[in-house]
Each structure stands twice: as C-alpha cells, then as structure tokens.
Amino acid sequence: MSYSRTVTGTDGRMEGKQVLITGATSGIGEVTARVLAEQGAQVVFTARDRAKTERVRCEIRTAAGHDRVEFLMGDFSSQQQIRQLAEEYRDRFDRLDVLVNNVGAYFSSRAETEDGLERTFAVNHLGYFLLTELLLDLLIGNAPARVVNVGSMAHRGASIRFGDLQLKRGYGGWRAYGQSKLANLLFTFELARRLEGTGVTANALHPGFVKTNFGADARGSLIARIIWWTLTQFTISAERGARTSVYLAASPEVEGVSGKYFANCKPVEPYKAAHDLEVARRLWEVSAELVARSAGDGD
C-alpha cells in the first residue's frame, strides 16, 4: 500500500484541488507537499532559499509524476513579504482549496522583526493569521475548502501574555514558542467560529515531535539543551509527522469538520486555555491591529 493511502485511510485523491503549503522545503512541510502532489493536487509551497526550493520542486514533481508543483518565495518574519507572496499567489492562481499553515520556528534568544515584533510570535502566529486573512476570499469562493494549522502540544501550560505579548520581560525560547502554539489553536477555533456557514473549515494539529532540523537553535542554554536532548529521545520521522496534516487536507472523513484539534489523525482535547472564547476574541483583535500596521498605502 502506498504512503498516500496509509496517510488518509482512503485513496484520498486530490485531482483538481489547489493546495498552498507554507514552509515546505524540509520536514513535515516537504512530506505534506509531496504526498498531496502524489494524490494529484496542484501544490504551491513557500520557501526562503531559492536554490534549495528549485531542488525540492524537482524532487516533488518526479515523485508525483506531474509538473503541477510551484513555489513562492517569502520570509514569514516579514509582513511585507507575506503580503507580496499573497499578491503573487493571486496573480498566478485563481483558486485555493486547501491552505496548510505549516511554517514555524523556535528561537532561544529574543529578537525583533523588521515590523518591531518578537520574531517567534511574528512567524508562528501572525504569519498564519495574515496569510489566511489575505487569501480567505479565495477559500470561501472555492468552498468546500479547508484551512489546516500546524500547532503543537507545546501549547499546554502556555498563556497569552497580553500585558507583554512581545515578551520584552523575562524572555525564554520555550515560553515564546508555547505562547505562539497556543495562539495557533486560539486562532484556529476563532476562525472556525467566524467561518460557520461558509463551507470553509479550520482545524489544527499536533504532528508529534519530528526528527528534523527544526529547533536546532534550542540548544543555547543548559536548560534548553537538557529539554532538547530529552525530547529528541522520542522523535518520529517526518513521514509519520506529516500524516495528520495530509489527513486534514485530503481525507473525506473530515469533510465539514471544523474547530477541532487533531493528533495521530484523531480529534484530541487541547489544553483548556485554548477554549477561552474571550482570549480568542481578544487575540484576534490584537492580531488584526498588529498586521494592519504593515498594510501600507497599497493595501
């Protein structure tokens, strides 16, 4: 049985579907792009390194047996580049059936983006929020459609620190990462509520602790190194880690299912903070304000 079949539990063919995946030149993003392309989807993925991206596109096209695999360049720490990426997507493609927000990063030391935002929050949460906002009309126009947000079990025990959202006081890499992953779930559930009746679903997932280069920067402090070493004892392959992403993007089993959190292709209960309606609404409002600042004259 092919990997494409085992991921979804069905043949899961995606012919005629248009999929956009962020951060897909390695790890679970690359596997997700390859498997969905193998299932017949036209796949567009985002990346930062052009030479590597060209190679990955060639490899996915070969594996899929067709040339309907394209890419867009953009750095998700820059809201201007996200806006340019979305504009280029709209110029080149007239539909979107599945958006997989996959790009993510961990940073052991605090730094700010060109937009003056703490970079973990900017990349991991606001990147999802802004790109989805910019392409939402395409998803609604092609309903039934899906938004798939890659989250993490790292949201457990985290909180949204509205009084210090940019973590200017007491920054810690895992604290920042946990906050961003909780934000992913709050965003997903609020998005699902706002999309009720449109035919567009929004779900989040925990891929498992995947054996990739993700988190290499986690090895800065002694405590971070200990945590990182402990976690690496339980890593899984990128192929296994991508299964739930592919399942939510392609499986007919989740047609119409929205506002859920999945692990191992099954719905699971997230940390209770992810269900706080007031926090979700407030985070949405704050996020909208933060991305509005980068809109510029042409938006």
Side-chain angles (χ1 to χ4, degrees):
M1 181 179 289
S2 72
Y3 176 67
S4 297
R5 288 179 62 92
T6 60
V7 166
T8 62
T10 70
D11 57 10
R13 298 305 293 170
M14 291 285 285
E15 284 91 350
K17 299 293 185 180
Q18 179 89 14
V19 180
L20 174 61
I21 305 172
T22 66
T25 56
S26 63
I28 64 173
E30 181 180 356
V31 175
T32 301
R34 172 170 55 80
V35 175
L36 292 176
E38 288 174 345
Q39 292 186 351
Q42 174 162 324
V43 172
V44 182
F45 65 94
T46 74
R48 294 183 301 168
D49 183 325
R50 182 170 292 275
K52 183 177 182 180
T53 301
E54 293 278 9
R55 175 181 59 77
V56 171
R57 178 175 64 173
C58 182
E59 291 173 351
I60 294 176
R61 284 179 169 181
T62 299
H66 64 76
D67 62 1
R68 298 187 303 278
V69 180
E70 303 295 341
F71 64 81
L72 300 169
M73 302 302 297
D75 186 336
F76 273 70
S77 69
S78 165
Q79 292 186 13
Q80 180 182 7
Q81 290 193 38
I82 294 173
R83 292 180 183 280
Q84 291 172 341
L85 184 152
E87 183 177 355
E88 182 179 354
Y89 182 91
R90 300 175 73 93
D91 287 343
R92 293 173 57 184
F93 310 101
D94 60 2
R95 65 177 296 137
L96 181 58
D97 298 283
V98 182
L99 170 61
V100 182
N101 287 308
N102 169 82
V103 70
Y106 171 94
F107 303 104
S108 60
S109 59
R110 187 183 185 279
E112 293 187 354
T113 67
E114 63 185 38
D115 301 298
L117 302 167
E118 190 278 311
R119 58 182 172 174
T120 308
F121 187 79
V123 173
N124 293 2
H125 167 60
L126 290 178
Y128 285 22
F129 183 90
L130 179 56
L131 184 64
T132 304
E133 177 187 62
L134 294 172
L135 298 177
L136 196 56
D137 63 320
L138 286 181
L139 288 160
I140 294 173
N142 286 286
R146 305 180 184 189
V147 178
V148 178
N149 293 327
V150 178
S152 170
M153 290 291 285
H155 78 278
R156 291 187 175 272
S159 62
I160 305 298
R161 304 175 65 184
F162 287 109
D164 184 25
L165 197 58
Q166 306 305 322
L167 300 181
K168 293 182 178 180
R169 302 183 298 275
Y171 179 88
W174 289 107
R175 175 180 291 175
Y177 186 72
Q179 177 180 250
S180 73
K181 293 293 103 177
L182 176 57
N184 289 161
L185 268 64
L186 289 163
F187 165 58
T188 300
F189 299 155
E190 181 66 16
L191 179 64
R193 286 188 284 270
R194 291 170 181 251
L195 287 173
E196 287 180 3
T198 66
V200 180
T201 60
N203 293 292
L205 68 108
H206 169 60
F209 194 72
V210 181
K211 188 176 183 179
T212 68
N213 290 327
F214 175 83
D217 186 49
R219 291 165 253 184
S221 69
L222 175 59
I223 293 177
R225 290 199 301 271
I226 293 172
I227 294 173
W228 185 256
W229 181 88
T230 301
L231 291 174
T232 57
Q233 307 312 300
F234 303 95
T235 56
I236 61 176
S237 67
E239 284 71 19
R240 183 177 172 187
R243 287 180 177 178
T244 306
S245 293
V246 174
Y247 176 77
L248 290 176
S251 177
E253 294 177 5
V254 289
E255 184 70 44
V257 175
S258 191
K260 301 295 183 181
Y261 175 56
F262 286 77
N264 295 319
C265 301
K266 295 180 181 179
V268 295
E269 191 63 23
Y271 178 59
K272 63 181 180 180
H275 286 309
D276 191 317
L277 297 179
E278 182 56 36
V279 171
R281 293 190 187 101
R282 185 178 178 187
L283 177 64
W284 186 286
E285 292 171 359
V286 171
S287 300
E289 293 173 0
L290 290 174
V291 302
R293 297 175 186 176
S294 68
D297 296 333
D299 195 78

